[in-house]
Amino acid sequence: MKRSPKDTEASARKITRRGLVLGGLQAGMLGVLGWRMRQMQVEQADEFRLLAEENRINMRLIAPARGLIFDRNGIPVAENTQNYRVVIVREDAGDVDTVIDRLRQLIYLDPDELERSLREMQRRSPFVPVTLTDQRSWEDIATVAVNAPALPGIFPDVGLTRHYPLGPDFSHIVGYVGPVSDYDLNRIEDNDPLLQIPKFQIGKTGVENKYERDLRGKAGSKRIEVNAAGRVMRELGRDNGVPGSDLQLTVDTNLQNFVEARLMLEESAAAVVMDPRSGDLLAIGSAPTFDPNKFVRGISSADYAELTENKYRPLANKSVQGAYPPGSTFKMMVALAALESGISSEETAYCPGFTKVGDRRFHCWKRGGHGYVNLEKSLQQSCDVYYYEMAQKIGVDKIAEVARRFGFGERFDIPMSAVTGGIMPDKQWKRERYGKDWLVGDSLNASIGQGFVLASPLQLAVMTARLASGNAIMPRLVKSIDGIETEIVGASPLGFNENHLRLVRKGMYAVANTRRGTGYSVRIDADGHKLAGKSGTSQVRNITAAERARGVTSNSDLPWERRDHALFVAFAPFENPTHAAAVVVEHGGGGSSVAGPLARDVLLYAMYGGMPPIEAYPSYQRGKIREMQAKLVLRDSAASPGRDRA
Amino acid sequence: MSYLEYNVKRVPTGLSKILYLNWPLILLLMAVASVGFLMLYSVAGGSLEPWAEPQMKRFALGMAAMLTIAMVPIWFWRNMAGLAYGVSILLLLAVEFFGTTGMGATRWIDLGFMRLQPSELTKITLVMILAAYYDWLDIRRTSHPLWVAIPLILILLPTFLVLKQPDLGTAILLVAGGGTVMFLAGVSWWYFGVVIAGVGGLVFAVFASRGTDWQLIKDYQFRRIDTFLDPSSDPLGAGYHITQSKIALGSGGWTGRGFMQGTQSRLNFLPEKHTDFIFTTLAEEFGFLGASSLLVLYGLIILFCFYSAFSNKDRFGSLLTLGIGTTFFLFFAINMSMVMGLAPVVGVPLPMVSYGGSAMLVLLVAFGLTQSAHVHRPRGR
């Protein structure tokens, strides 16, 4: 087809015209692109650069090593050990199921644990190592390492975990750590980023819990460059953090081991040994006990059920959590209150075997009565009627005032779980608690450590230590933190008349060292080691008039839960007390027959710094003592004989 | 034939044609391609493998093809337009039946030695057939409905086939490129008004169809639109590409982080860093200066195309040159808008820079056609 030149010219002009329009549009678009580039790269550059840095740099926390816990002699009671574990990297494993099947042929894998790991694997990126199993033996790890070619993506790995080398001995004192739970996170106001680390171990009970902040340390961090998938490309910088503070306890591991072993000879018992000069808690025993290492690993439900269903309550730390009627061990408080109220130590009360208040009879433990009783004899023979009389004379408020200065009703601030303050009742307390007036009978019950009065073995130990030293000594469990000694609190006089204290101590001496004393059988036959003490047998049931008439049922005929608690408090040596002890044997029966021997064994061991010579015991008892000693299950270091340090 | 009305004796012949090539355009193309080699070398972590070297070989091949095509008279190519168009439609149909599927789309035919992407070829053959059509058509009939319907069918046929693959980016380029040639040829403004209104209606229909049985585009395309409208709504999911791309671009600043120092691309934050998102690496490593320099190079290429077209009195050559120039413009404008967050991510490569064989070869062939038009243009009376 031919086209006229005119048409051609017109066509070219049209193309040029329209082309210019198009070119204009394109130039405009170029302008927009240039403007956008300027806006992003010049005006907002800083903003974007920051975003790029955030993209690229990741902070990873480095968990600090948890502070160690030592006993007073530097023996470790809580340490960090290598935790051998097996991890899997999904990406490297390829066929995860096959690889895990092969691994299961080599080492045992707990099905529940495996299930959890597989779930976690699904949640995480393929290159993130997921723990398949931990707390493995070196043999297992070696097996995995040797078979590495057949196990792609499976690697042996090592981390730190808490270990309690002394196992059950310290489970109640030190407690245990465990992986941080959602419950923990909700409960504690703590924004420490460490808590966000999966399975990070924090203190759950005891010192581990109370000193969590000191023990945990400060998180370190490393700055790493990551790529888009989160894979670590290289480390840019590192701050190792601050390891947790090391704690030194006042406890002596050998004595603690002996105490626990000795307590285990009873069904359920607690004992506290302290130094009356410094308040150092040398041993805090509670039996039965449990292995804290099981909790660190994650206790199985069967093991846990066994602990919770045991009627002797192994999980409870009876020495500080248990509140018991102190029974006759409370009589020192009443005696001192009487002296402080101006009653002479020689003033006597007549004991016909009971006291009558109104038409109600309050019985003495001795049916026939003690006859005329002065202060020393009242302690020596534990005459109840003497204290009934004193309580009526001085009133409960005076008794409570004195007892409180010895730690009754006070919750001591020591780093253990669920420390109880017991109860030291007075008139106001009863009004507030029950809305009722205090009755004379309440005073009588209180005067022999029954009724409303409740105290823990720790409180009884503190009372004994304060009686022995005359100082307002406070119990101390942590001796030093990172080598810095903690303060000794209360090494100053209680403010009682020294003569009055001496009279009470003399009464306690008579208990264990005179022929008529209730604790004569638990005397110590080594000069310079003699103990002064007081037994207590506290009822956990009411004895009806009918029962009393036909004769009080003997403890051995009662079911365990209804038997009397056996208590004994003592300090030694009498002349220069270095140790004070309180023992409670739950439903053990007689204070002087069950708790007394225990207290003596513990004090002797403490004084000799090891197994005491048999000569320290009265000669006629030595056969039985040897039998008892043979039954003890001690660690080697605790079984060695002690040297006479007195 | 329209060129006969001009003094064809002044059209160069033989090897002397080389002297009459549009050399500035060739140099500009080489410059842009070099930028591409540099960036491919950088994103590979300082290595010619796996991208830079194949790209250089293809560029050499493409340059040879371009010069060869430039030597052949433009009227030969005009006569080939119908055939070329037919072949590309057949190839698109072949993709439909024998194509290779990758990344959720069927776009390639595997020829053994290379993977051919017919949709790339179609971008050029469509411009050719339309230019030839308007060269043939009496200009007084340009706006007649019947004569408007024919080019519309020519455009919509391959567009439909490309959309089925699916490849939204190419479909847009086809429509825009074809529409541009129609516009330049002088089709009445009214038609464009109607089409723009129609597109508006279609966009509305697409959104209205969402979630219904007759949904017009795929879910991933909807998501791309969503994330374009608000990339921060899903920064690690569907909005990841565009968010990371903007971060890389913005963090370049004035002068960039330096060659091979871009942390975003180095650490794989950038998606498809060697193909569609290669511009972000350039912008991150060479900053505003580098990015705007590339923009200037592209602008100059367009400028020389327009200059060549305006100085060409041959209707076919002029329309072809403008059509190809505009297609080239659309390539980089859409790609840059996409990575800078001005347009949704539609999968258009950065021309001559992004890694990819078909696209580069086709573009160089297209520039070969413009060179041929330039060399053989009628010169004065």
Side-chain angles (χ1 to χ4, degrees):
Chain A
M1 187 184 81
K2 294 247 172 173
R3 191 171 283 157
S4 74
K6 203 177 136 205
D7 279 359
T8 311
E9 276 303 312
S11 151
R13 270 204 309 277
K14 185 146 219 168
I15 289 174
T16 306
R17 222 169 32 237
R18 292 255 172 135
L20 285 174
V21 170
L22 190 69
L25 283 175
Q26 295 186 3
M29 187 63 204
L30 282 178
V32 168
L33 290 173
W35 162 82
R36 176 69 172 170
M37 257 176 228
R38 209 190 102 81
Q39 185 197 31
M40 287 176 76
Q41 298 197 285
V42 179
E43 282 157 31
Q44 301 175 359
D46 292 342
E47 208 175 297
F48 281 116
R49 188 153 292 200
L50 193 70
L51 287 171
E53 288 294 310
E54 283 174 8
N55 247 344
R56 166 171 96 92
I57 294 167
N58 232 328
M59 301 289 279
R60 290 281 166 89
L61 285 175
I62 301 174
R66 194 172 174 84
L68 305 179
I69 304 178
F70 300 99
D71 89 330
R72 66 183 298 116
N73 300 315
I75 295 164
V77 296
E79 56 191 17
N80 300 320
T81 57
Q82 310 269 314
N83 170 20
Y84 296 108
R85 54 180 183 235
V86 178
V87 300
I88 184 167
V89 179
R90 184 150 57 95
E91 177 183 74
D92 298 343
D95 183 356
V96 173
D97 292 338
T98 314
V99 172
I100 287 180
D101 277 347
R102 277 189 218 145
L103 181 66
R104 292 181 84 163
Q105 286 164 17
L106 295 170
I107 61 172
Y108 173 76
L109 292 180
D110 184 60
D112 291 348
E113 208 175 17
L114 188 60
E115 180 79 6
R116 272 201 300 274
S117 308
L118 288 174
R119 266 205 307 275
E120 192 180 345
M121 229 180 288
Q122 297 308 317
R123 278 207 316 274
R124 300 196 179 261
S125 300
F127 55 82
V128 172
V130 171
T131 302
L132 275 177
T133 171
D134 60 359
Q135 311 273 358
R136 302 306 297 222
S137 66
W138 175 245
E139 284 72 31
D140 284 347
I141 292 301
T143 309
V144 171
V146 166
N147 291 285
L151 300 168
I154 294 210
F155 305 103
D157 189 22
V158 61
L160 284 183
T161 191
R162 203 62 156 173
H163 177 67
Y164 303 104
L166 305 180
D169 285 359
F170 278 85
S171 55
H172 288 128
I173 302 171
V174 169
Y176 51 83
V177 297
V180 61
S181 65
D182 290 343
Y183 171 75
D184 294 324
L185 289 176
N186 289 333
R187 191 170 46 96
I188 45 184
E189 289 275 314
D190 190 343
N191 51 10
D192 192 331
L194 278 172
L195 297 180
Q196 305 301 330
I197 297 179
K199 293 195 174 177
F200 182 74
Q201 292 180 335
I202 63 164
K204 298 280 186 171
T205 62
V207 173
E208 291 274 29
N209 177 248
K210 301 284 174 178
Y211 274 88
E212 173 64 25
R213 268 170 196 282
D214 297 271
L215 290 167
R216 188 190 297 158
K218 287 272 179 300
S221 61
K222 51 183 175 186
R223 288 165 68 241
I224 48 172
E225 190 173 273
V226 294
N227 72 359
R231 185 193 301 278
V232 179
M233 306 304 278
R234 65 190 162 125
E235 194 172 298
L236 298 172
R238 162 189 282 265
D239 157 24
N240 276 322
V242 183
S245 304
D246 292 344
L247 296 186
Q248 188 179 20
L249 303 181
T250 55
V251 178
D252 179 312
T253 44
N254 284 347
L255 180 63
Q256 178 72 18
N257 184 246
F258 179 83
V259 168
E260 287 289 354
R262 181 65 185 83
L263 290 173
M264 279 306 286
L265 299 182
E266 310 297 335
E267 282 145 333
S268 174
V272 176
V273 183
M274 66 188 274
D275 185 332
R277 298 163 298 183
S278 60
D280 284 1
L281 293 161
L282 301 172
I284 305 159
S286 177
T289 175
F290 61 93
D291 184 358
N293 292 310
K294 280 188 180 172
F295 282 86
V296 178
R297 282 194 286 268
I299 192 163
S300 71
S301 45
D303 283 351
Y304 191 69
E306 205 178 299
L307 290 174
T308 49
E309 284 160 17
N310 187 326
K311 70 171 171 178
Y312 302 132
R313 308 189 322 283
L315 290 176
N317 181 9
K318 293 164 194 130
S319 50
V320 301
Q321 296 175 13
Y324 305 92
S328 302
T329 59
F330 189 66
K331 285 174 180 165
M332 281 83 83
M333 299 294 99
V334 185
L336 191 64
L339 292 169
E340 291 286 311
S341 303
I343 293 168
S344 159
S345 62
E346 288 311 316
E347 195 173 317
T348 56
Y350 180 75
C351 170
F354 62 88
T355 288
K356 225 173 162 175
V357 176
D359 52 359
R360 196 175 154 200
R361 275 186 176 197
F362 288 81
H363 288 269
C364 183
W365 67 271
K366 193 170 177 186
R367 268 196 111 175
H370 291 97
Y372 287 98
V373 180
N374 66 4
L375 186 128
E376 188 178 328
K377 189 178 169 189
S378 76
L379 283 171
Q380 179 202 30
Q381 301 186 19
S382 199
C383 174
D384 292 340
V385 170
Y386 179 85
Y387 292 94
Y388 295 152
E389 298 294 324
M390 292 304 145
Q392 290 181 68
K393 279 185 188 159
I394 61 177
V396 71
D397 285 355
K398 179 67 188 172
I399 297 171
E401 185 218 309
V402 171
R404 287 205 182 99
R405 285 161 76 180
F406 281 87
F408 283 89
E410 180 180 351
R411 211 173 65 80
F412 291 114
D413 182 25
I414 58 167
M416 295 210 270
S417 298
V419 177
T420 181
I423 294 171
M424 186 58 239
D426 58 15
K427 290 176 179 166
Q428 194 192 342
W429 174 86
K430 193 180 174 192
R431 256 199 309 280
E432 283 169 9
R433 178 76 188 268
Y434 293 102
K436 287 181 183 163
D437 282 338
W438 186 266
L439 303 175
V440 179
D442 294 332
S443 294
L444 268 55
N445 277 333
S447 71
I448 59 162
Q450 296 274 170
F452 298 119
V453 189
L454 290 176
S456 66
L458 172 70
Q459 286 176 298
L460 295 177
V462 170
M463 171 195 78
T464 312
R466 288 183 180 178
L467 278 171
S469 66
N471 287 340
I473 198 73
M474 291 294 275
R476 182 172 79 143
L477 181 59
V478 176
K479 192 165 158 40
S480 66
I481 301 172
D482 263 345
I484 299 160
E485 194 87 7
T486 55
E487 208 184 344
I488 291 175
V489 183
S492 54
L494 275 167
F496 289 107
N497 186 322
E498 185 54 36
N499 284 326
H500 296 165
L501 287 169
R502 205 172 288 138
L503 285 165
V504 174
R505 283 186 211 128
K506 211 173 147 216
M508 291 173 76
Y509 182 79
V511 168
N513 295 287
T514 58
R515 218 159 265 287
R516 313 273 315 260
T518 54
Y520 186 59
S521 65
V522 297
R523 66 192 177 276
I524 290 172
D525 258 8
D527 281 338
H529 292 85
K530 297 218 184 268
L531 70 77
K534 181 75 194 78
S535 62
T537 305
S538 63
Q539 284 170 24
V540 292
R541 65 197 182 101
N542 282 317
I543 298 174
T544 60
E547 186 188 336
R548 204 173 286 282
R550 64 167 190 268
V552 176
T553 317
S554 121
N555 270 313
S556 51
D557 297 334
L558 285 165
W560 181 77
E561 310 79 41
R562 313 238 314 139
R563 293 177 197 168
D564 298 337
H565 290 312
L567 295 92
F568 203 91
V569 299
F571 63 87
F574 174 69
E575 300 79 11
N576 179 27
T578 54
H579 295 85
V583 174
V584 174
V585 180
E586 281 193 328
H587 310 291
S592 50
S593 58
V594 177
L598 212 166
R600 176 176 61 180
D601 293 341
V602 166
L603 282 174
L604 277 173
Y605 189 97
M607 282 187 287
Y608 282 95
M611 290 302 284
I614 197 76
E615 293 73 29
Y617 292 93
S619 53
Y620 77 97
Q621 293 174 1
R622 288 174 190 166
K624 282 203 159 170
I625 295 296
R626 281 202 189 88
E627 270 173 44
M628 180 278 292
Q629 287 180 345
K631 277 191 260 174
L632 291 174
V633 185
L634 292 172
R635 269 198 326 278
D636 288 348
S637 63
S640 58
R643 286 185 310 274
D644 188 350
R645 290 194 301 196
Chain B
M1 299 295 169
S2 54
Y3 60 86
L4 291 177
E5 286 125 44
Y6 293 90
N7 184 358
V8 289
K9 289 190 187 114
R10 289 176 64 186
V11 170
T13 52
L15 285 177
S16 67
K17 285 177 181 176
I18 292 174
L19 296 173
Y20 292 90
L21 286 170
N22 194 348
W23 280 106
L25 190 59
I26 293 174
L27 293 175
L28 284 167
L29 287 173
M30 288 172 90
V32 170
S34 305
V35 170
F37 305 149
L38 209 59
M39 294 330 296
L40 289 173
Y41 177 78
S42 170
V43 293
S47 161
L48 288 173
E49 292 293 332
W51 299 310
E53 200 181 302
Q55 183 85 342
M56 287 160 117
K57 287 178 180 162
R58 282 181 197 141
F59 180 71
L61 188 70
M63 283 306 270
M66 181 180 91
L67 292 175
T68 309
I69 290 166
M71 294 298 111
V72 177
I74 188 67
W75 47 89
F76 173 78
W77 296 119
R78 191 194 56 197
N79 292 343
M80 295 301 290
L83 183 65
Y85 179 80
V87 166
S88 53
I89 294 294
L90 285 176
L91 284 172
L92 281 177
L93 284 168
V95 166
E96 183 68 26
F97 296 110
F98 314 111
T100 309
T101 304
M103 316 255 297
T106 311
R107 293 178 189 171
W108 298 277
I109 298 175
D110 205 329
L111 295 180
F113 65 95
M114 74 173 286
R115 296 207 300 178
L116 187 71
Q117 205 171 332
S119 56
E120 294 291 339
L121 196 61
T122 315
K123 288 168 195 162
I124 303 310
T125 56
L126 179 65
V127 171
M128 278 173 80
I129 188 93
L130 288 172
Y133 172 81
Y134 282 111
D135 183 45
W136 165 81
L137 189 71
D138 187 335
I139 37 174
R140 279 176 293 271
R141 291 182 184 156
T142 314
S143 293
H144 189 281
L146 178 69
W147 302 107
V148 168
I150 291 170
L152 271 183
I153 291 165
L154 291 174
I155 294 170
L156 292 179
L157 180 64
T159 304
F160 170 75
L161 288 171
V162 163
L163 267 181
K164 276 207 74 178
Q165 291 182 351
D167 186 349
L168 186 62
T170 303
I172 290 171
L173 283 172
L174 287 175
V175 171
T180 302
V181 178
M182 288 176 76
F183 173 75
L184 291 167
V187 176
S188 170
W189 289 92
W190 285 104
Y191 288 102
F192 293 96
V194 169
V195 166
I196 287 165
V199 166
L202 186 70
V203 167
F204 178 78
V206 162
F207 276 96
S209 75
R210 186 170 197 175
T212 62
D213 296 341
W214 49 281
Q215 188 164 308
L216 291 170
I217 59 175
K218 296 214 166 183
D219 281 340
Y220 84 93
Q221 290 165 326
F222 268 124
R223 278 198 298 280
R224 280 182 174 184
I225 295 169
D226 285 348
T227 52
F228 160 63
L229 295 175
D230 183 13
S232 58
S233 65
D234 187 12
L236 293 175
Y240 181 81
H241 285 197
I242 194 62
T243 308
Q244 293 301 338
S245 164
K246 282 166 77 178
I247 290 175
L249 226 138
S251 65
W254 257 106
T255 52
R257 288 175 180 264
F259 184 52
M260 311 245 301
Q261 301 297 315
T263 58
Q264 285 284 98
S265 40
R266 199 71 333 103
L267 299 169
N268 283 329
F269 283 102
L270 286 178
E272 309 192 29
K273 56 186 179 182
H274 62 294
T275 57
D276 292 359
F277 284 84
I278 195 161
F279 181 65
T280 53
T281 304
L282 173 84
E284 187 186 18
E285 298 190 352
F286 295 105
F288 177 68
L289 291 179
S292 56
S293 299
L294 183 67
L295 195 64
V296 168
L297 287 178
Y298 279 137
L300 287 173
I301 288 177
I302 300 301
L303 193 66
F304 277 98
C305 281
F306 273 73
Y307 168 74
S308 168
F310 290 163
S311 65
N312 193 338
K313 302 298 176 195
D314 177 26
R315 194 164 157 82
F316 174 71
S318 179
L319 284 174
L320 182 73
T321 305
L322 286 177
I324 286 169
T326 301
T327 303
F328 185 78
F329 169 83
L330 287 171
F331 261 108
F332 74 78
I334 291 177
N335 179 277
M336 285 184 176
S337 305
M338 181 174 99
V339 299
M340 289 195 287
L342 291 174
V345 178
V346 288
V348 173
L350 191 60
M352 307 298 294
V353 177
S354 285
Y355 179 77
S358 293
M360 172 170 264
L361 279 175
V362 166
L363 276 171
L364 286 170
V365 165
F367 279 112
L369 293 173
T370 67
Q371 291 288 357
S372 172
H374 188 76
V375 172
H376 303 99
R377 71 183 187 275
R379 287 161 168 82
R381 252 172 220 283

